[in-house]
Amino acid sequence: MKAMVLNKICSLNENRNPLKLVNLPDPIPGEKDILVKIYACGVCHTELDEIEGRTPPPHLPLVPGHQVIGRVEKSGSNAGNFQMGDRIGIAWIYSACGRCKFCLEGNENLCSHFTATGRDVNGGYAQYIAVPEGFVFRIPEIFSDAEAAPLLCAGAIGYRSLQLTGIKDGQNLGLAGFGASAHLVMKMAHHKYPNSNVFVFARSEKERSFARELGAVWAGNTEDVPPEKLDCIIDTTPVWKTVVEALKNLENGGRLVINAIRKEEVDKEYLLRLEYSTHLWLEKEIKSVANVSRSDVSEFLKLAAEIPIKPEVQEFALEEANRALVELKEGKIRGAKVLRIDNW
Ligand SMILES: [Zn+2]
Ligand SMILES: [Zn+2]
């Protein structure tokens, strides 16, 4: 099969073609796996973090990609949930042990044997993938392959972060940072909590006016103070400033959920502004979001079909993956970037 492979960690500023097109043997499904013929794979910021070494894959070479849409080609000898041709999606969660206390309570995203698609195992920048059949999702019919792919990451993790805020209808929700995941959270919040107001903190006026267009009652800069206290805030930025500023705006007993795979060192000294009385006293809480569980993905897909949420997408051929990554890094975003894998 054709695949785009990462052989070496490097900066995209120095190497604009970090992935190489190669021919790999088709994967062989294990007895509980299915072999999937891939039709589309979303391109995510996490791939930039993997390629540039901020969240390096444990071994190389690697096929990246964790927003995979395909059709079942073959089932392993002990797999029987799917028919040939069934359309399925594969998300960041590739597998978990299924036996530990986290797996048993549905928090398989916290399992110490959690493996991620396109980081711990080969992902979707390829023509085929083998995957445990218990870790794939049926895709609602209203979505095309390309529309469904980006929902599998930003949407599912946004759904998890909204759940983790513990928000109740009527409570104020803040969003610090207004990227792909936050847009989706706003749409979900309007649908699930129609009496809640959404407040957005974003650095650029363009993002702030977009937030107002999408229904934010207020949009300001990171250090601005909204007219009301916020019961919960989701921070999707890679910096520390938003953490300190968000805690300041939390209601008593409120919760800040940090939906970021890492925080950068650049502005870490901002944490010295943290005052116990202003930022933490009166039972304010901080919680991070890690990975996604299967129920996050399947519940989100159902919700996205119901609302409906249809992402705007910009398609690239598999061979153009490097160009898609460079454009993503440079912020040239005209909808979610999706690789179309149709070169049979
Ligand atoms: Zn992702
Ligand atoms: Zn486990």
Side-chain angles (χ1 to χ4, degrees):
M1 68 170 183
K2 281 200 264 182
M4 292 297 280
V5 167
L6 176 68
N7 289 306
K8 197 166 154 264
I9 301 296
C10 61
S11 160
L12 275 162
N13 296 331
E14 284 143 34
N15 180 1
R16 293 169 77 85
N17 293 295
L19 305 182
K20 302 285 173 244
L21 181 68
V22 297
N23 259 311
L24 293 180
D26 289 353
I28 297 165
E31 57 173 27
K32 291 200 152 181
D33 295 346
I34 49 176
L35 179 69
V36 177
K37 187 176 190 177
I38 302 174
Y39 283 72
C41 183
V43 177
C44 177
H45 272 104
T46 301
E47 270 106 62
L48 299 177
D49 290 333
E50 290 175 2
I51 293 166
E52 298 193 312
R54 289 178 295 273
T55 55
H59 53 79
L60 293 171
L62 173 77
V63 179
H66 56 264
Q67 308 170 79
V68 188
I69 301 291
R71 285 168 182 73
V72 176
E73 180 86 356
K74 193 158 110 185
S75 295
S77 57
N78 239 329
N81 294 351
F82 295 93
Q83 305 280 317
M84 190 179 158
D86 283 355
R87 183 167 77 146
I88 56 96
I90 305 162
W92 179 245
I93 182 168
Y94 180 86
S95 69
C97 82
R99 292 180 300 275
C100 72
K101 63 178 179 181
F102 298 113
C103 285
L104 293 176
E105 68 189 17
N107 288 322
E108 54 210 358
N109 57 311
L110 304 180
C111 173
S112 52
H113 297 283
F114 179 97
T115 60
T117 314
R119 184 194 63 190
D120 302 311
V121 294
N122 281 342
Y125 286 25
Q127 290 180 312
Y128 289 95
I129 184 172
V131 59
E133 72 163 354
F135 287 80
V136 303
F137 309 93
R138 292 191 192 267
I139 302 298
E141 275 180 17
I142 71 158
F143 302 117
S144 69
D145 294 342
E147 284 168 342
L151 295 174
L152 289 166
C153 185
I157 187 106
Y159 179 82
R160 182 168 191 87
S161 56
L162 185 60
Q163 296 285 101
L164 288 182
T165 63
I167 188 173
K168 298 185 186 77
D169 191 24
Q171 291 188 325
N172 286 340
L173 170 68
L175 300 174
F178 201 58
S181 177
H183 299 172
L184 295 171
V185 168
M186 175 118 104
K187 289 183 184 167
M188 282 180 248
H190 286 327
H191 184 81
K192 286 188 77 175
Y193 311 106
N195 298 304
S196 287
N197 284 329
V198 181
F199 299 73
V200 171
F201 302 85
R203 279 181 309 175
S204 80
E205 179 47 41
K206 210 172 135 195
E207 286 173 311
R208 293 194 291 266
S209 58
F210 186 42
R212 289 183 209 106
E213 256 171 59
L214 290 185
V217 294
W218 177 92
N221 210 336
T222 313
E223 60 275 12
D224 290 346
V225 178
E228 292 172 44
K229 289 283 184 189
L230 309 178
D231 300 287
C232 45
I233 300 176
I234 299 170
D235 168 26
T236 49
T237 73
V239 295
W240 291 103
K241 181 180 178 179
T242 51
V243 172
V244 176
E245 295 299 332
L247 288 170
K248 182 184 77 187
N249 294 319
L250 269 189
E251 181 59 285
N252 302 345
R255 182 182 286 174
L256 169 64
V257 171
I258 302 177
N259 173 9
I261 204 164
R262 69 197 164 81
K263 283 281 186 186
E264 284 168 3
E265 295 292 311
V266 283
D267 72 336
K268 211 169 180 180
E269 77 286 356
Y270 209 94
L271 286 174
L272 291 171
R273 303 193 189 190
L274 205 63
E275 301 269 2
Y276 186 71
S277 57
T278 318
H279 299 102
L280 291 165
W281 173 238
L282 293 170
E283 305 192 345
K284 294 181 181 182
E285 285 179 83
I286 307 178
K287 197 172 181 67
S288 66
V289 186
N291 304 317
V292 285
S293 68
R294 279 175 285 184
S295 61
D296 295 325
V297 182
S298 53
E299 286 167 23
F300 171 70
L301 285 171
K302 194 166 158 267
L303 187 64
E306 196 179 293
I307 293 177
I309 293 176
K310 281 204 175 191
E312 267 185 50
V313 297
Q314 183 192 6
E315 295 186 42
F316 295 81
L318 174 64
E319 291 82 349
E320 296 174 312
N322 287 313
R323 187 163 68 82
L325 288 161
V326 168
E327 287 190 13
L328 186 67
K329 174 160 173 142
E330 292 174 351
K332 289 179 192 157
I333 300 182
R334 290 188 292 128
K337 297 181 193 305
V338 175
L339 304 179
R340 188 184 58 243
I341 298 153
D342 55 2
N343 306 293
W344 312 108

